[in-house]
Amino acid sequence: MRKMKLAFAIASACALLVGCAAPRSVMDQGWTQKPAKVKVVFTEPFIANPDDLQDDLPEYVNNFSDWYKAQLETNLGSQTNGVLYSVEKVSMDKVKFEAAAVNGVNIKVPKVEEMDGQADVYLVVNDIWIGRVESETTCTTGGFNAGGGLGMGTTCTQDKDFTGKGNYAYYDAKTGKRLGYGDFEAKSGYTFAVSLSDWQKVVQKTVSSVLDNTPIKK
């Protein structure tokens, strides 16, 4: 019984966090110098639930990448200091892929063949997916019946997260050397309907995840 209660407690705690899994990223330990100029390129995000976009950002239904670009610029600027950013959307045909492992799992690592040497570092963000994700039902209860099952007062909820997923990589713009890579999963929990703040939180947490473990955050 004690183990079951503990399991319910852990499940409830995880529902309040931005995911319980460790971030999946690999960074070159030799990359310690904070860059002065970072060029960020991203491909067109895929919106899984167009109705949410129509409801919350109707003016960006046909040009969502403009909103996403502005949000990247705002969050990169607010979450770091002393770095000059240039953000640009690029077409998919400009991005190539390499397979690389993160915690024993192979992921697609994006790369652009041509890089502007005026930047110190390139950040490539790709395979951006934004939409609703519903997790498994979590149940909590005030007690157990004689048979060890769930008793009266059991409450079951399904966690709902507005989620942004994708992969990314950093490169030395001068040499083309890969400095780091990973994937991200940024979540904003909602109850009934998605709101504008959920879209904003997803980008905010995306940027935080992508900057994590890099010298850019110094």
Side-chain angles (χ1 to χ4, degrees), residues 1-11:
M1 184 182 299
R2 186 173 181 273
K3 289 183 178 179
M4 292 183 71
K5 289 182 177 179
L6 180 60
F8 283 129
I10 292 174

Side-chain angles (χ1 to χ4, degrees), residues 44 53 57-68:
E44 182 74 43
L53 181 60
L57 292 163
E59 65 273 35
Y60 289 103
V61 169
N62 297 316
N63 58 338
F64 176 75
S65 60
D66 290 348
W67 181 87
Y68 195 80

